[in-house]
Amino acid sequence: LILGESASRRHMSLYGYHRKTNPRLENRSDILVFDDVVSPYSNTIQSVLSIMSESNLENHIAVDESIDLMDVFHSSGFETWWISNQPPMGIWENLVSVFASQSEHLIFVNTTTNTSMEATLTTSLDSKLFEPFAEALQSPAKKKFIVMHLMGSHSAYYKRYPSQFEKFSGKGKVERTRAEYDNSRLYNDFIVDSLLSMISGHAGSKGGRLATAIYLSDHGENVYDELDRAGHDYSGDMPAS
């Protein structure tokens, strides 16, 4: 399970966006693209806990009283992994980290900051996840459930990609911000495509072992698409769609 961050399909060429932000995924013949999935919340904590458990907007079951995916896979004999490029501590991360700690193997690669806000202003590229992911794939366990939690397009957008992915540019605050966000989506395309290739390569090396991957984002992002602002907190103002 590849958990993205702040990924808006409005800025993904897989969904018709005019900039080619998904050149690698568009060239894959082994993926299905869903167009009828909606995030329940516009923030990471509530979305991730809802995605990972039976708690949702309809049933009103509290997260701590619900069955969650870690319970299900662990009870089914799967070795469980949580590998994250999100910081382990902070007002936006603490609850997710508590949930992640249920896994048998817990790995955080983004540990250089002390607060959630500080983490948004520093660089921790998602390619740092490749090495621990390869380690998880090589684990001798016959059945594994691996959660990869990306930093994705979390603000500040220009901190989310290396210089070689700086393909788009714009003048003025709005267009420059959109370009930086789109560059982060281009880099995310590389990250997700690389993870999928690692999975298929590993499955093939094991005689065609069955492997399934799902990529989804915790929530989207408004990048001056509506309400003349960027971010994922609408502060009480719901977007048109």
Side-chain angles (χ1 to χ4, degrees):
L1 177 61
I2 306 169
L3 285 175
E5 168 70 54
S6 305
S8 171
R9 66 182 181 187
R10 291 182 175 186
H11 290 257
M12 298 172 67
S13 55
L14 271 174
Y15 293 93
Y17 187 52
H18 67 279
R19 283 174 169 165
K20 282 292 184 181
T21 53
N22 298 119
R24 291 173 173 83
L25 292 179
E26 286 182 290
N27 283 331
R28 296 192 72 101
S29 60
D30 58 350
I31 64 172
L32 297 174
V33 181
F34 295 93
D35 60 5
D36 57 354
V37 181
V38 179
S39 178
Y41 300 98
S42 63
N43 63 80
T44 298
I45 298 174
Q46 289 177 295
S47 286
V48 170
L49 296 182
S50 178
I51 289 167
M52 299 295 294
S53 74
E54 65 176 332
S55 174
N56 60 54
L57 292 171
E58 285 76 32
N59 62 27
H60 305 294
I61 299 175
V63 172
D64 59 355
E65 296 176 357
S66 69
I67 299 170
D68 61 65
L69 283 179
M70 288 302 178
D71 294 333
V72 172
F73 279 98
H74 182 76
S75 298
S76 301
F78 283 72
E79 181 181 70
T80 54
W81 295 71
W82 189 288
I83 305 173
S84 176
N85 190 26
Q86 298 266 347
M89 296 184 297
I91 190 172
W92 302 332
E93 292 85 26
N94 287 341
L95 286 177
V96 175
S97 293
V98 169
F99 182 91
S101 66
Q102 297 180 94
S103 60
E104 295 171 78
H105 304 275
L106 179 60
I107 301 174
F108 288 100
V109 300
N110 185 351
T111 58
T112 60
T113 59
N114 297 309
T115 67
S116 295
M117 184 57 66
E118 185 179 354
T120 68
L121 301 175
T122 58
T123 298
S124 183
L125 298 177
D126 282 330
S127 58
K128 292 167 66 175
L129 295 170
F130 290 164
E131 185 174 340
F133 184 53
E135 175 187 341
L137 290 177
Q138 293 299 326
S139 167
K142 291 184 177 181
K143 298 191 294 184
K144 288 169 278 190
F145 176 55
I146 307 169
V147 179
M148 304 293 291
H149 197 184
L150 311 184
M151 197 64 168
S153 295
H154 207 317
S155 59
Y157 310 138
Y158 69 95
K159 295 287 188 178
R160 302 296 160 242
Y161 55 89
S163 58
Q164 60 265 38
F165 285 85
E166 194 169 349
K167 178 179 180 180
F168 309 114
S169 60
K171 295 182 179 180
K173 179 181 179 181
V174 171
E175 291 306 317
R176 183 173 64 252
T177 301
R178 281 181 179 147
E180 291 168 352
Y181 182 78
D182 290 348
N183 287 330
S184 75
R185 301 314 308 149
L186 180 65
Y187 181 61
N188 185 83
D189 179 69
F190 161 72
I191 293 295
V192 175
D193 177 69
S194 297
L195 292 174
L196 295 180
S197 294
M198 291 173 69
I199 294 168
S200 60
H202 176 75
S205 70
K206 297 297 181 179
R209 177 180 291 182
L210 178 65
T212 301
I214 297 176
Y215 167 80
L216 54 85
S217 182
D218 54 358
H219 52 75
E221 190 83 343
N222 179 26
V223 192
Y224 296 104
D225 302 303
E226 297 184 40
L227 307 177
D228 193 33
R229 63 174 180 255
H232 55 261
D233 182 3
Y234 283 100
S235 302
D237 296 322
M238 290 300 292
S241 60

